[in-house]
Amino acid sequence: MTMLELGPKDGLYYEYTPPARDGACTYVFVNPITGDVGLWNAAIVPALQKEGHGTLVYNFRGQANSPFSPDLALSEDVIVGDLRALLSHVQPPRPVLIGLSIGGLYAAKAYLAGEKVAGLVLVNTLRRITPRLAWMNDATVRAMQVGGPDLMKDLLFHLLVHL
């Protein structure tokens, strides 16, 4: 298991495969709150690697295999800072940030903070923030702070999967 240590109780689990051919990009996948590396590894990562591209997948602090200090507020600034730290650590060639849902916001904020990237792909990302959406976003962050991904799955799984 590859881990970027961020502190005594904090780290980012990641998987990096460099490009296999000259001029290829490295696709950097930024999860939604309720996702993890498995979301990308199922089909997208193998297809890109087959074409010679590099890939970098990782889990936010609090997602699978990425530990976090219980007293740490998993804020937007922390998550964007972690993405930037991971990019600095790995230094993937020609990175293309791909963010799904709120992961797109984090990818865009990393770019706006000065990350040098070859591209930025936003998937189902930007919506106008209304009071209802702001409440849902705040509740999601608080649920992750209190109970991590297991609590998030308990709260939202029924909305994501029809059994």
Side-chain angles (χ1 to χ4, degrees), residues 2 45 48 59 67 73 77 82 120-121 146 155-156:
T2 309
V45 164
L48 289 168
N59 288 334
D77 289 341
D82 288 353
L120 177 63
V121 178
V146 170
L155 293 172
L156 299 177

Side-chain angles (χ1 to χ4, degrees), residues 21-95:
R21 62 178 173 81
D22 289 339
C25 293
T26 302
Y27 292 90
V28 180
F29 296 95
V30 186
N31 296 336
I33 289 292
T34 57
D36 62 30
V37 299
L39 171 76
W40 311 106
N41 283 341
I44 297 170
V45 164
L48 289 168
Q49 289 177 354
K50 183 178 176 184
E51 296 298 319
H53 294 289
T55 57
L56 175 58
V57 295
Y58 75 103
N59 288 334
F60 301 151
R61 292 190 225 193
Q63 292 181 333
N65 300 316
S66 288
F68 72 102
S69 301
D71 59 336
L72 175 69
L74 297 173
S75 67
E76 181 178 289
D77 289 341
V78 167
I79 294 170
V80 172
D82 288 353
L83 171 56
R84 298 190 74 206
L86 182 63
L87 291 170
S88 176
H89 174 74
V90 174
Q91 297 186 357
R94 302 194 66 221

